[in-house]
Amino acid sequence: RKSVLKVGLVSGDFRHHPVGFFLESVLGHLNAEQIELIAYSTHAQEDALTARIKPNFKAWNQIVGMDDETAAKKIHADGIHILIDLAGHTANNRLPVFGWKPAPVQATWLGYFASTGVPGINYVIADPVAVPQQHQDQFTETVWYLPDTRLCFTAPKTSEPIAVNNLPALRNGYVTFASFQGMAKLTDQVLALWGRVLTALPEARLRLQNSYMISANAREEMTLRLSQVGISAERVSIVGPSTRDAYLASHAEVDMILDTFPYPGGTTTCEALWMGVPTLTLAGDTMLGLQGASLMACAGLTQWIAEDEDDYVARAVGFAGNLDELALLRDGLREKVLTSPLFDAALFAHHLEDALQGMWQKKIEQIAKN
């Protein structure tokens, strides 16, 4: 009989946040007779997503304003077997708490795409595409592999059903590329590569949408930067922030997503797949740089992973030149991804349970040896 494991989750993102979107469906599928979840929230803000996930936890603790030693003592007193960091070096993290080693097994997962470098953290939970065997030396943690993907996305809950529409290029007569990424990812190198794609496809258009584009100055600056890489203003639509529903619906105007690098999309890539829109991604050489490759491989779309910049341009041109195939892919993509490990929360939860039991078993064996 497998032991009941007390698993503590430490995060400031138990809310409307990419981490929340990736957590929500998984938590509900974990076997409560095997895994007892305890939350340690590092952020005071709560919202509708918080309310939806709270029932999955046996206990909910706010550790905002609690010093590291006090928080560590509390976690230790709670008898946690495995403590999981969901933030890495992102906002509201409590990595110093892990330095106190309040739990016998400590792992990092989900919210950060690199090693934490924290000596007290034993494992990083990853997948074979995101961290190939030869990249294990990039981590101070031991890599614990989940079989298909380290991420499982929760299909968006929209106020009204949002259907996948037909490929817009069929009615427009040209291909529309898009990016919904934040400004920090839109580097000069990324724009230069997009410039090569749009130069190779003189009819194609580009849609850029993110919250930063709310200001006229930002839109002007982006228009100028694009013109410098050969993408003229009349080929671009630049759109500011919108509600999540409206943003999802705007995929109806888009044929393909062009991924950023070396920091690819995560949430936006999954949302686009759900809306029937594939992402052309460029494989990097770090866990972060391979995130797009991991998502597309998991969705069964390995042909959308480019090896280098020339390959990226060639694939973009190739897909744009075969609209019938693109239209066919779009029609079946939502069904395809919903049954893939990327969205199949029951399957993912099963693999995560196995991982947690495996980590605990290893700890028991280590103790027995000593």
Side-chain angles (χ1 to χ4, degrees):
R1 200 179 80 79
K2 291 177 176 171
S3 50
V4 179
L5 292 180
K6 283 190 160 192
V7 177
L9 300 181
V10 183
S11 178
D13 305 319
F14 295 125
R15 54 199 167 96
H16 197 89
H17 178 280
V19 168
F21 301 151
F22 282 101
L23 264 187
E24 183 178 351
S25 61
V26 174
L27 296 180
H29 285 279
L30 289 170
N31 180 351
E33 290 173 16
Q34 278 190 28
I35 308 289
E36 191 176 290
L37 293 171
I38 318 283
Y40 298 95
S41 176
T42 66
H43 195 288
Q45 187 193 337
E46 297 190 355
D47 58 21
L49 191 142
T50 319
R52 290 199 301 269
I53 65 173
K54 263 192 181 177
N56 298 305
F57 290 88
K58 190 75 185 273
W60 188 275
N61 304 286
Q62 266 292 2
I63 58 169
V64 179
M66 199 182 278
D67 68 71
D68 296 329
E69 185 180 2
T70 308
K73 282 181 170 161
K74 163 149 188 56
I75 292 165
H76 184 70
D78 288 345
I80 299 298
H81 296 109
I82 302 176
L83 188 65
I84 303 179
D85 152 64
L86 299 175
H89 291 274
T90 64
N92 307 302
N93 80 76
R94 295 299 297 269
L95 289 176
V97 170
F98 287 79
W100 288 88
K101 199 73 181 153
V105 178
Q106 302 190 143
T108 181
W109 172 54
L110 192 57
Y112 189 63
F113 299 80
S115 178
T116 63
V118 175
I121 296 184
N122 312 96
Y123 298 107
V124 56
I125 298 172
D127 63 67
V129 179
V131 185
Q133 301 283 340
Q134 67 269 26
H135 289 181
Q136 291 182 0
D137 60 357
Q138 295 178 4
F139 297 85
T140 57
E141 305 89 354
T142 299
V143 181
W144 193 286
Y145 286 103
L146 296 177
D148 306 298
T149 168
R150 62 184 277 276
L151 300 173
C152 184
F153 195 66
T154 308
K157 291 176 170 50
T158 57
S159 47
E160 295 290 322
I162 302 175
V164 175
N165 71 319
N166 293 333
L167 190 75
L170 293 177
R171 65 166 192 272
N172 292 333
Y174 55 82
V175 165
T176 305
F177 295 104
S179 169
F180 296 95
Q181 303 278 20
M183 270 310 289
K185 299 183 186 182
L186 303 179
T187 63
D188 291 346
Q189 196 186 353
V190 167
L191 297 189
L193 183 55
W194 292 355
R196 287 179 59 191
V197 170
L198 274 90
T199 300
L201 295 162
E203 300 296 306
R205 306 282 175 92
L206 178 65
R207 179 188 180 100
L208 278 185
Q209 183 171 340
N210 63 41
S211 55
Y212 189 74
M213 295 301 156
I214 194 166
S215 94
N217 283 352
R219 293 194 297 273
E220 260 172 53
E221 187 197 347
M222 183 51 77
T223 304
L224 177 66
R225 287 179 66 201
L226 289 168
S227 71
Q228 288 166 344
V229 297
I231 305 174
S232 58
E234 60 273 10
R235 298 177 69 189
V236 186
S237 63
I238 296 179
V239 186
S242 68
T243 64
R244 193 178 185 211
D245 282 21
Y247 143 71
L248 289 167
S250 65
H251 288 78
E253 311 297 322
V254 175
D255 298 291
M256 283 181 248
I257 303 286
L258 292 177
D259 211 351
T260 49
F261 60 94
Y263 196 154
T267 304
T268 52
T269 303
C270 294
E271 288 166 334
L273 285 168
W274 187 73
M275 286 305 304
V277 183
T279 293
L280 175 61
T281 191
L282 181 62
D285 55 7
T286 60
M287 184 181 188
L288 174 60
L290 284 162
Q291 183 54 53
S294 172
L295 296 173
M296 298 311 283
C298 192
L301 297 174
T302 49
Q303 69 277 29
W304 288 81
I305 304 167
E307 293 304 311
D308 56 39
E309 296 194 8
D310 291 345
D311 189 29
Y312 188 98
V313 176
R315 284 175 194 264
V317 171
F319 293 130
N322 196 338
L323 294 185
D324 291 344
E325 207 169 293
L326 204 53
L328 198 64
L329 174 64
R330 187 185 188 96
D331 288 346
L333 195 53
R334 183 180 286 181
E335 279 71 59
K336 184 180 163 78
V337 297
L338 285 177
T339 56
S340 78
L342 191 55
F343 282 80
D344 186 338
L347 177 67
F348 186 89
H350 176 68
H351 291 322
L352 186 59
E353 277 168 27
D354 284 350
L356 296 170
Q357 292 286 355
M359 288 173 198
W360 186 246
Q361 198 48 46
K362 241 189 158 77
K363 185 68 187 174
I364 299 296
E365 285 162 16
Q366 281 169 354
I367 293 168
K369 270 194 197 127
N370 299 337

